[in-house]
Amino acid sequence: MGNKLNTHNHDRDAAGMTYVYPVVSRRAGGVSVGINLNPNNACNWHCAYCQVPELTRGVAPEIDLEQLRSELHSMLDAICNGEFMTRRVAEDSRRLCDIAISGNGEPTSCREFDRVVEVIVELMQQFDLHIPLRLISNGSYVHKAHVQRGLKLMAAHQGEVWIKVDAVNEEAIRRINGVKLDGERLRQQVETVARICPSWIQTCLMAWDNQPPAEAEIVQYVEFISALKRDAVPLRGVLLYGLARPSMQQEAGHLQPLDAGWMKLMAGRIEACGLKVSLSL
């Protein structure tokens, strides 16, 4: 399987599988087994910082559930019973920290999402894994019944959602996430997800043309977070992070990482709202 994995390489083809790939996740803190439901590189959003090459607009294809089951079984067996950790992972990261439904597009656009969750839960039980089952999502399909069924099953089996909120200003959302969406709709998505399954807000911040986010945009974001806290939306906190790997999108030339000091100050502003912040630089 090649060289050792690290936090800078999230190659979905690292294991030679269609749906399953291992990564060392800086935010999760160890080895994460990824489930890629978008091998067609299709997403309904177009985030400027996305690392997926040849990203296209669209939804997940039909999933071969038996192939997914076979691939995930093979990967978990290699990690739990084989030599995967010693051969592929640096010593300080040899911990299976989660199974993450993520990949090359929005995973909840998959029409079999609830059945995918059933397969994952079944194999987690087979391998006696007591680790989080995470979904990394933009929340845009949470109104769908099959997605809510999947979220409820996740919630019953150590599940949690990392839902994307990079900005709440409509213009900033269009620039960063490439989608027409306002703060009110974004709030509905976050609240719906959080009330079904334990959830974190996931926020990626960056400089655009060497300028940090405008203060007005930051104030709107902080007010958005404060309102969620004030209205007792059950969030676990905010996962705040910056750019770690190069974007593969045409907007890449506009993007630069923010200074660590700026990010720490931003974390403090979020914490002042009463939510826990996990900062990854």
Side-chain angles (χ1 to χ4, degrees):
M1 286 190 183
N3 298 325
K4 280 187 165 45
L5 298 172
N6 59 65
T7 58
H8 299 288
N9 177 19
H10 280 203
D11 182 3
R12 311 292 197 246
D13 297 322
M17 298 178 177
T18 299
Y19 302 118
V20 178
Y21 63 99
V23 298
V24 174
S25 170
R26 63 190 173 128
R27 278 170 282 161
V31 174
S32 175
V33 173
I35 307 296
N36 180 18
L37 301 183
N38 302 76
N40 58 350
N41 295 358
C43 188
N44 63 327
W45 285 25
H46 179 93
C47 295
Y49 55 82
C50 183
Q51 296 109 28
V52 175
E54 301 178 3
L55 184 70
T56 61
R57 296 277 186 177
V59 299
E62 183 177 353
I63 302 300
D64 184 331
L65 294 170
E66 288 310 308
Q67 182 179 348
L68 170 61
R69 185 191 308 275
S70 175
E71 290 185 359
L72 183 55
H73 185 281
S74 177
M75 178 57 62
L76 293 178
D77 188 50
I79 290 173
C80 297
N81 304 317
E83 299 180 346
F84 178 88
M85 289 293 199
T86 53
R87 290 189 174 184
R88 295 296 314 279
V89 182
E91 187 173 356
D92 61 355
S93 298
R94 289 173 186 165
R95 181 179 76 90
L96 179 58
C97 57
D98 69 7
I99 295 176
I101 305 173
S102 178
N104 292 9
E106 173 50 42
T108 59
S109 68
C110 168
R111 288 177 294 179
E112 302 92 359
F113 178 75
D114 52 344
R115 297 174 65 194
V116 166
V117 175
E118 289 175 358
V119 168
I120 298 170
V121 167
E122 177 188 321
L123 286 171
M124 289 177 71
Q125 292 174 334
Q126 182 176 333
F127 282 88
D128 195 27
L129 295 177
H130 302 279
I131 56 175
L133 169 56
R134 293 187 168 113
L135 166 67
I136 301 175
S137 173
N138 62 34
S140 55
Y141 290 87
V142 70
H143 59 287
K144 301 283 189 179
H146 71 286
V147 174
Q148 294 194 9
R149 284 195 299 270
L151 291 175
K152 289 174 182 175
L153 182 57
M154 286 181 59
H157 294 86
Q158 292 184 263
E160 69 176 27
V161 180
W162 294 0
I163 183 168
K164 185 185 299 293
V165 180
D166 297 324
V168 300
N169 172 281
E170 188 169 349
E171 181 181 344
I173 294 171
R174 189 190 299 268
R175 181 179 71 250
I176 297 167
N177 303 124
V179 66
K180 181 175 174 57
L181 181 67
D182 59 32
E184 181 178 351
R185 175 67 182 274
L186 187 61
R187 156 71 189 242
Q188 291 173 357
Q189 292 177 180
V190 171
E191 183 168 1
T192 300
V193 169
R195 295 198 185 281
I196 297 174
C197 187
S199 299
W200 292 77
I201 284 176
Q202 180 182 231
T203 298
C204 182
L205 296 179
M206 70 220 75
W208 190 284
D209 292 336
N210 294 305
Q211 296 298 314
E215 177 61 18
E217 292 177 7
I218 295 300
V219 168
Q220 286 179 291
Y221 176 92
V222 171
E223 289 177 347
F224 181 90
I225 297 295
S226 296
L228 292 169
K229 177 65 176 178
R230 184 176 61 248
D231 296 341
V233 176
L235 289 165
R236 289 186 166 177
V238 175
L239 301 169
L240 180 64
Y241 67 108
L243 299 178
R245 298 175 299 279
S247 166
M248 299 297 289
Q249 309 313 312
Q250 62 183 8
E251 296 87 353
H254 293 286
L255 311 181
Q256 299 84 32
L258 289 160
D259 175 78
W262 191 99
M263 292 290 286
K264 289 176 182 177
L265 287 173
M266 184 63 194
R269 293 177 73 168
I270 298 170
E271 287 175 336
C273 301
L275 281 179
K276 178 181 178 181
V277 177
S278 176
L279 174 61
S280 298
L281 296 173

